[in-house]
Amino acid sequence: MSGQSLTDRIAAAQHSMTGSAISKAVCKATTHEVSGPKKKHLDYLIHCTNELNVSIPHLADTLLERTASNSWIVVFKALITTHHLMMYGSERLMQYLASRNTLFNLNNFLDKAALQGYNMSTFIRRYSRYLNEKAMSYRLAAVDFTKMKRGAEGVMRTMNTEKLIKTLPIIQNQLDALLDFQPNSNELTNGVINTAFMLLFKDSIRLFAAYNEGVINMLEKYFDMKKNQCKEALEIYKTFLNRMTKLSEFLKVAERVGIDQGDSPDLTQAPSSLLEALEQHLASLEGRKLKDLSAASRSSNLSSAVSSLSSTGISLSRVDDKTEDNRLQQHKEDAHRGADTQTPNMSPSTQSVGSANSGGGAADLFSNSTIAPVSNHVPNLTSELYTLQHSYTPIQTTHTVPNNNNAWGGDLLKPALPAQIHSPGVPFHSGKMMPNDLDSSLANLVGNLQFGGMPAKNGVRWWRRSQQEAAGSQKPCAPAPTGLTPPIPWHLHPCPSPR
């Protein structure tokens, strides 16, 4: 399947009629095309999350509604779009998603329409569990581990012992959910799952970097901990060693599907002698007799382990920084290509949009910024980007301000009719505005349709038989009673029904 489906086009048109630019952008980002969401749609949604007058619940709920589709493509792309906004959108979105009792309920999702649907449904269920866990981590720790400050003065390196013992298991749970995605290189066969995998790859680098720094901090404090704390810390460290092995396997898959080996970090494990030293220290606190290690030996093991893990942290940061440089360069190129097509700044709150970057479709989806890209213009939804036609002239409406004698009248909501819009074969209403009352306007419209589209004349509707028209005779029908709303249906009208 390629290109947008008829369903996608109809849905986009419906959102155009209702004036919901956000809903339309979500619809465009989650079409039935077997490819990842386009960058221009994601950029607009990212910008929306940073606008204070945009409803974050509406945006989030619109994405969640798309996961109710039966199509694996639409559901997968809705998850990808949500993940992308979690990574690069405003923190307000993450706060809202974390505050929900439930996020994605796709544990039983299965697309039976095609064989590929069966295969992809498995990854959709795994992917949704990771996003749920990502939101839960934020709910428990009030921080996104993939965005926190790193380094010697970072959050995890300066955290106190009590908080560290509580935080590391939260990171472990999120990392477990990520690594459970478990794709084989021969299963990454289309643009949708490849896009999801690349976002997970990016998260894995940042998440493990925070995890690694937390473990370094824990090891430095280990020999000063209380007995119960040492016991918990020892289990955390054993789990950490196991997760490092699983992450190495995950990164090997990334290398097989096109990630440059230079973009993959080197994971250096601590010497096994450290684990033995940790176990002996805990045994001594519990009063169990094991071979004693000298203070010098213990210090040497700890120093060697911290050095190894620090090397891993440097490698992770190098990969992350390289991706960031690539992202900045890509945005500069996009800004240069789009400089000649920029339109005046428009806010999403006006539901009016203009031209986005001309090169957005081919740009890198996996930028490293924790904040939405800053530009001198706002993506705009009335361009060819969000319309169904190649050329489209937006309707400019002006609001009529009521006079002082009718401050609460209906004229306040009456837009000026655009004179340039006229469908062939449809008569104008003599340049007059529709009645102020919407129900009356709709009733008149329905009445015109029921009476064959004939206009009203002096309060009387006229019927002409086809035979009389052919003979040139114009015998009027009996006048319809005035004051009826809606008009009398044709089969009850005193005029004979047309043959």
Side-chain angles (χ1 to χ4, degrees):
M1 182 184 297
S2 62
Q4 296 184 33
S5 69
L6 180 60
T7 303
D8 297 329
R9 295 179 180 273
I10 292 175
Q14 288 174 338
H15 294 310
S16 295
M17 295 175 64
T18 59
S20 177
I22 290 178
S23 298
K24 188 171 184 179
V26 170
C27 178
K28 287 285 188 177
T30 58
T31 61
H32 288 76
E33 292 180 273
V34 188
S35 61
K38 293 182 179 178
K39 180 181 180 296
K40 51 191 176 183
H41 304 138
L42 295 174
D43 282 350
Y44 177 78
L45 293 174
I46 289 173
H47 174 77
C48 288
T49 66
N50 289 282
E51 287 289 313
L52 296 179
N53 52 3
V54 168
S55 172
I56 293 297
H58 169 65
L59 171 57
D61 291 345
T62 304
L63 286 167
L64 292 175
E65 287 172 4
R66 296 295 282 173
T67 63
S69 172
N70 293 325
S71 169
W72 71 266
I73 304 172
V74 173
V75 175
F76 219 150
K77 291 173 78 170
L79 296 176
I80 291 170
T81 303
T82 304
H83 190 184
H84 195 91
L85 296 182
M86 282 179 163
M87 293 173 69
Y88 307 121
S90 168
E91 193 171 7
R92 292 193 303 144
L93 177 67
M94 180 63 92
Q95 290 171 347
Y96 176 76
L97 295 176
S99 69
R100 294 176 61 98
N101 291 329
T102 57
L103 190 55
F104 298 111
N105 186 17
L106 297 172
N107 292 333
N108 298 318
F109 177 82
L110 181 62
D111 184 351
K112 302 179 181 179
L115 178 60
Q116 192 176 30
Y118 275 93
N119 297 333
M120 293 297 106
S121 294
T122 300
F123 293 105
I124 286 175
R125 294 192 294 270
R126 295 173 182 174
Y127 194 25
S128 66
R129 283 196 292 270
Y130 169 69
L131 295 181
N132 286 340
E133 194 63 43
K134 184 179 177 74
M136 179 58 69
S137 295
Y138 188 94
R139 185 174 184 174
L140 295 175
V143 66
D144 186 343
F145 296 115
T146 64
K147 296 181 180 182
M148 60 171 39
K149 180 182 177 181
R150 298 197 297 268
E153 301 298 324
V155 177
M156 298 303 297
R157 288 295 298 270
T158 57
M159 191 174 289
N160 62 51
T161 303
E162 291 77 11
K163 191 172 182 180
L164 190 64
I165 294 296
K166 294 179 180 179
T167 302
L168 285 173
I170 298 175
I171 300 180
Q172 286 177 345
N173 291 337
Q174 184 177 340
L175 184 63
D176 287 344
L178 189 154
L179 297 177
D180 283 344
F181 193 71
Q182 291 182 333
N184 294 321
S185 56
N186 57 359
E187 292 174 316
L188 302 175
T189 56
N190 61 73
V192 180
I193 189 173
N194 288 352
T195 302
F197 180 76
M198 290 301 297
L199 291 178
L200 290 171
F201 171 81
K202 182 72 65 178
D203 263 12
S204 69
I205 298 298
R206 298 176 177 178
L207 187 60
F208 195 80
Y211 190 19
N212 185 71
E213 291 189 349
V215 170
I216 293 175
N217 186 14
M218 182 187 71
L219 293 176
E220 291 175 338
K221 291 180 168 64
Y222 181 84
F223 295 102
D224 297 324
M225 291 181 182
K226 300 176 183 178
K227 181 175 66 174
N228 290 338
Q229 292 175 335
C230 284
K231 190 173 183 179
E232 292 181 63
L234 181 59
E235 292 302 318
I236 290 173
Y237 181 68
K238 290 179 179 179
T239 304
F240 171 78
L241 296 178
N242 178 264
R243 298 304 176 270
M244 182 178 284
T245 301
K246 294 183 67 174
L247 179 63
S248 298
E249 297 172 357
F250 182 87
L251 297 178
K252 288 178 181 177
V253 175
E255 292 176 3
R256 287 196 291 267
V257 296
I259 299 297
D260 185 35
Q261 191 170 6
D263 293 336
S264 186
D266 297 323
L267 303 181
T268 305
Q269 290 196 359
S272 57
S273 58
L274 175 65
L275 180 59
E276 182 181 357
L278 299 179
E279 291 175 337
Q280 289 178 352
H281 177 71
L282 177 60
S284 64
L285 293 178
E286 293 177 340
R288 293 183 286 118
K289 283 291 185 179
L290 292 176
K291 183 179 67 173
D292 292 331
L293 289 177
S294 64
S297 177
R298 187 173 65 184
S299 176
S300 175
N301 289 332
L302 179 59
S303 177
S304 177
V306 170
S307 177
S308 298
L309 296 181
S310 296
S311 298
T312 297
I314 293 173
S315 179
L316 292 167
S317 297
R318 174 183 54 80
V319 172
D320 205 13
D321 291 343
K322 183 177 180 179
T323 309
E324 171 68 5
D325 292 340
N326 293 338
R327 185 197 67 82
L328 293 175
Q329 181 63 32
Q330 184 65 59
H331 275 288
K332 288 180 181 179
E333 294 176 0
D334 290 346
H336 179 71
R337 285 195 296 265
D340 296 334
T341 60
Q342 289 184 9
T343 57
N345 289 351
M346 301 292 287
S347 170
S349 63
T350 65
Q351 301 301 324
S352 174
V353 283
S355 169
N357 280 337
S358 60
D364 180 19
L365 280 175
F366 318 113
S367 60
N368 189 36
S369 174
T370 60
I371 302 176
V374 178
S375 64
N376 294 326
H377 73 287
V378 174
N380 210 312
L381 283 183
T382 50
S383 67
E384 46 86 21
L385 180 59
Y386 293 100
T387 55
L388 303 179
Q389 301 174 356
H390 293 292
S391 60
Y392 172 70
T393 303
I395 301 175
Q396 300 295 335
T397 60
T398 57
H399 296 286
T400 304
V401 179
N403 55 38
N404 294 333
N405 297 328
N406 189 22
W408 296 94
D411 289 339
L412 179 61
L413 302 178
K414 181 171 66 179
L417 281 179
Q420 74 274 18
I421 296 179
H422 176 226
S423 299
V426 180
F428 285 108
H429 292 276
S430 303
K432 296 181 180 180
M433 298 297 298
M434 296 294 286
N436 294 337
D437 183 74
L438 180 60
D439 293 334
S440 299
S441 301
L442 294 176
N444 287 337
L445 177 61
V446 173
N448 287 337
L449 294 176
Q450 288 177 334
F451 284 93
M454 297 295 294
K457 182 178 181 182
N458 297 329
V460 179
R461 299 186 182 276
W462 298 83
W463 278 98
R464 296 181 177 87
R465 296 186 185 182
S466 59
Q467 293 87 346
Q468 292 173 337
E469 292 178 348
S473 173
Q474 297 185 2
K475 179 180 179 181
C477 300
T482 60
L484 278 177
T485 303
I488 300 176
W490 67 268
H491 61 281
L492 298 178
H493 200 274
C495 176
S497 60
R499 296 178 183 174

